[in-house]
Amino acid sequence: DSSDITEIINYTKSNYAEPNPEYFGKAKDMNVIYLHLESMQSFLIDYELNGQQVTPFLNSLAKNENTMFFDNFYHQTAQGKTSDAEFMLENSLYGLPQGSAFITKGQNKYEAAPTILKDYGYTSAVFHGNSGTFWNRNIIYDQFGYDEFFSADSYDTSDPKNMAEYGLLDKPFFEQSQSLLETLPQPFYTKFITVANHFPFKMDQDLVTIDKATTGDTSVDNYFQTARYADEAIEEFFTYLKESGLYDNTMIVMYGDHYGISDNHNRAMSEIIGEEVTPVVNADLQRVPLLIYVPGMEGGINHTYAGQMDLLPTVLHLLGVETQNNIHFGSDILSADHSEVIPFRNGNFVSPTIYSLDGKYYDRKTGLELDPSQYEQAEKLHAMVQEKLNYSDKVVNGDLLRFYSKDGKVLSE
Ligand code: GP9
Ligand code: MN
């Protein structure tokens, strides 16, 4: 009931991270474009396969002077996969331990990014070349406050050559999205969901521009071809953004949604990365790229530990939007108060010092099990992670945002 929300507000307020004055409002009034990079993992950045870069365009962006590249950014998804990633970045609430909140909590009340930004004059839209009912998107996007959802019906999907298993291939998708994007009044808040780099990473061999890997594990070997295709599609979209002028007044956020290669493929992955996939290495394989481009912002490589839960407060602060009254369980990555303990949905966590993985603690530096003298610190972090997940679950399971109003006051039933 509404007393629960008071407890939650006290919790999120005590975890609030003040914006960094150096970055607050750096993207004020700019458009926002999110590029949802299906199954893109961080190990691909600067990886060379047979002497060739797999993602040359993303690699160049990671070094772009106005782009910040976060190389310790973790996905925090569970069974809800893509939908969990979206759920977190729109709400800074955790997905559920089982199933997909998009499906089971599609009718909840939310205070999501599109709703927050409406007060700042933003129009919002999602672009995705798959059926609108997939992951229950057509229902939950309304609850998030999205003005438009351009799904498969808005695209020409008649040429089978243009189709991937989950909808329109990325190149025709971005190309056809241009005229749809131009219908939106500015400033806009938008998200483009790609699909070509999706398990099992099969692609028409006429479209590939890089050889497969040769581990003998088909999904791993194919992964490089679809990732390269996605990289080229993003580059084409950037070319359009530059030509249309949007590049000069748009913040572009690119994030990998979750792993592409599961731990069923550790044998082949150890061949790819040249080391054994230990528990700690496996945890680090859950890193996904995060790149934030803001015109005029000083970029660089940022090593801060962070996760998908942290995106919303980070993006809102860049837009100059205060969040101290919001119920967010992540924290602004650029803030001095940002928490570098990154929970996974199963209660595991990573941090710059200690990893907690399936009931064991590890020293991040050595990759070995933690010395018992440090258990106390680890237990503390463990309890903190559990508490955070529990509070977030309370909000989602109890539909508690019904009792929340945006000025931070509690509404009665
Ligand atoms: C489908 C796409 C894939 O529309 O977003 O979702 P996933 O299988 O990655 O969760
Ligand atoms: Mn996905």
Side-chain angles (χ1 to χ4, degrees), residues 38 80-82 128 130 134-135 137 166 193 198 257-258:
E38 176 60 42
K81 304 299 295 280
T82 286
H128 184 46
N130 193 11
F134 200 94
W135 282 129
R137 284 180 172 112
Y166 291 92
I193 305 170
H198 193 290
D257 65 344
H258 48 72

Side-chain angles (χ1 to χ4, degrees), residues 29-61:
D29 296 328
M30 288 187 193
N31 301 308
V32 180
I33 290 181
Y34 264 104
L35 300 181
H36 179 111
L37 310 178
E38 176 60 42
S39 299
M40 197 69 82
Q41 288 177 230
S42 292
F43 81 86
L44 288 170
I45 303 295
D46 284 335
Y47 186 82
E48 287 191 11
L49 186 65
N50 307 316
Q52 276 204 45
Q53 298 183 50
V54 182
T55 55
F57 185 66
L58 288 177
N59 297 350
S60 74
L61 278 180

Side-chain angles (χ1 to χ4, degrees), residues 312-368:
L312 179 60
T314 307
V315 166
L316 288 176
H317 288 170
L318 283 166
L319 293 171
V321 175
E322 298 277 1
T323 64
Q324 70 266 56
N325 288 330
N326 287 94
I327 295 175
H328 292 162
F329 290 90
S331 66
D332 180 349
I333 311 170
L334 300 168
S335 163
D337 306 329
H338 169 70
S339 167
E340 288 196 277
V341 179
I342 310 306
F344 295 126
R345 186 51 263 197
N346 61 5
N348 285 354
F349 65 83
V350 292
S351 77
T353 50
I354 298 171
Y355 282 24
S356 170
L357 305 169
D358 302 327
K360 286 187 181 151
Y361 295 123
Y362 298 88
D363 183 324
R364 183 239 170 168
K365 294 252 150 56
T366 61
L368 302 173

